Amino acid sequence: MKNFFLFLIVVAASSMTTSQKAPASTPLVTDISSHLISVTSDFTGTELLLFGATETGADLNYAEHGDVIIVVRGPEEKVVVRRKDRVAGIWVNTESIEFTRVPSFYAMVSTKPVADITSANVLNRLKIGPTRLSFQSSENAEESQPFQEAIVRKKTEENLYSDQETDIHFLGNTLFRTNIEFPANVPVGNYVAEFYLFRGGDLISAQTSPLFIKKSGVGRTIFDFAQDYPALYGIAAILVALFAGWLASAVFRKD
């Protein structure tokens, strides 16, 4: 119901903008149903509504709404990928590469297949699509390519990377909406939603909107304590484990 009311607000804002003949320099209006996702101990994932409106009209020289691509990127992280080979009948790690600036979460949605929206050069430059992501490493591109593909494949299996073409729907000639799912294992941190408007293969407008995923409740207190005081957190974890073991032995001890 909350998402529905937010979408009605965009509808009203779009009508006002059209009646006031907004300048062509702002052909895209966007928003998110919520800019904060609270992760609690019983968090099982959530879904956000992303919506907006495009400007059309003879005075703007645009008769159609064009095509929209939305990308949501999570905080960047370091990832070490190891390759296993069979040596003397035993599978062991034989090679590893460390990558930096790897998005911990990546979701892309579009009005139609992105290859039909714009050129491959533009898609590669904007890093639109999980297969077009490029991660930094000390190895050359040819050697690191299989390891990069392994990262994308693994995160896709964990539902942290997704590519949903043709999943943005227009309501009428200007209003559009879509939903993006965030799984239970979504990392916390600062996210950004990128909105791109294309017409005739050209990028007409782009906007970004912040999104925050934060732990709340007891989970947030424990998380902040672990981040701020890792040594004390380790000692506390050991003491809790020892106490739990002693308590279990006392309860189930046979006289």
Side-chain angles (χ1 to χ4, degrees), residues 128-223:
I128 293 178
T131 59
R132 298 181 182 88
L133 293 174
S134 58
F135 313 134
Q136 294 184 359
S137 72
S138 57
E139 305 295 332
N140 60 55
E142 184 177 352
E143 293 181 354
S144 63
Q145 185 62 31
F147 293 83
Q148 292 194 52
E149 294 174 355
I151 293 176
V152 174
R153 184 168 58 252
K154 180 65 174 176
K155 287 189 175 291
T156 300
E157 293 173 355
E158 295 173 349
N159 296 322
L160 294 176
Y161 280 15
S162 62
D163 184 351
Q164 304 173 35
E165 296 182 332
T166 71
D167 208 33
I168 297 179
H169 305 288
F170 268 90
L171 304 178
N173 200 37
T174 61
L175 304 175
F176 64 87
R177 60 167 292 165
T178 189
N179 293 294
I180 291 184
E181 295 185 1
F182 294 84
N185 59 331
V186 63
V188 298
N190 299 334
Y191 288 61
V192 60
E194 303 168 353
F195 298 79
Y196 300 98
L197 173 63
F198 292 87
R199 287 192 175 107
D202 297 326
L203 179 60
I204 302 301
S205 181
Q207 289 188 5
T208 61
S209 186
L211 171 64
F212 307 98
I213 299 181
K214 305 291 185 182
K215 288 184 177 292
S216 61
V218 177
R220 179 177 180 178
T221 302
I222 297 175
F223 178 81

Side-chain angles (χ1 to χ4, degrees), residues 44-62:
T44 58
T46 188
E47 187 178 80
L48 289 186
L49 170 68
L50 292 83
F51 52 90
T54 64
E55 287 295 321
T56 60
D59 55 330
L60 300 175
N61 297 319
Y62 298 130

Side-chain angles (χ1 to χ4, degrees), residues 44-105:
T44 58
T46 188
E47 187 178 80
L48 289 186
L49 170 68
L50 292 83
F51 52 90
T54 64
E55 287 295 321
T56 60
D59 55 330
L60 300 175
N61 297 319
Y62 298 130
E64 298 181 355
H65 52 62
D67 292 294
V68 176
I69 300 176
I70 301 176
V71 175
V72 177
R73 307 178 195 264
E76 296 178 343
E77 61 183 4
K78 290 183 179 180
V79 175
V80 177
V81 183
R82 296 178 174 86
R83 171 182 287 165
K84 286 188 175 182
D85 289 321
R86 196 164 186 172
V87 179
I90 302 175
W91 289 98
V92 296
N93 295 325
T94 58
E95 186 179 358
S96 65
I97 297 180
E98 180 180 276
F99 294 91
T100 59
R101 305 197 66 180
V102 178
S104 57
F105 179 89

Side-chain angles (χ1 to χ4, degrees), residues 15-73:
S15 302
M16 294 176 61
T17 304
T18 303
S19 63
Q20 295 174 2
K21 295 184 178 181
S25 59
T26 57
L28 183 64
V29 179
T30 63
D31 204 355
I32 307 176
S33 58
S34 176
H35 291 269
L36 175 63
I37 297 177
S38 296
V39 177
T40 59
S41 58
D42 58 348
F43 180 74
T44 58
T46 188
E47 187 178 80
L48 289 186
L49 170 68
L50 292 83
F51 52 90
T54 64
E55 287 295 321
T56 60
D59 55 330
L60 300 175
N61 297 319
Y62 298 130
E64 298 181 355
H65 52 62
D67 292 294
V68 176
I69 300 176
I70 301 176
V71 175
V72 177
R73 307 178 195 264

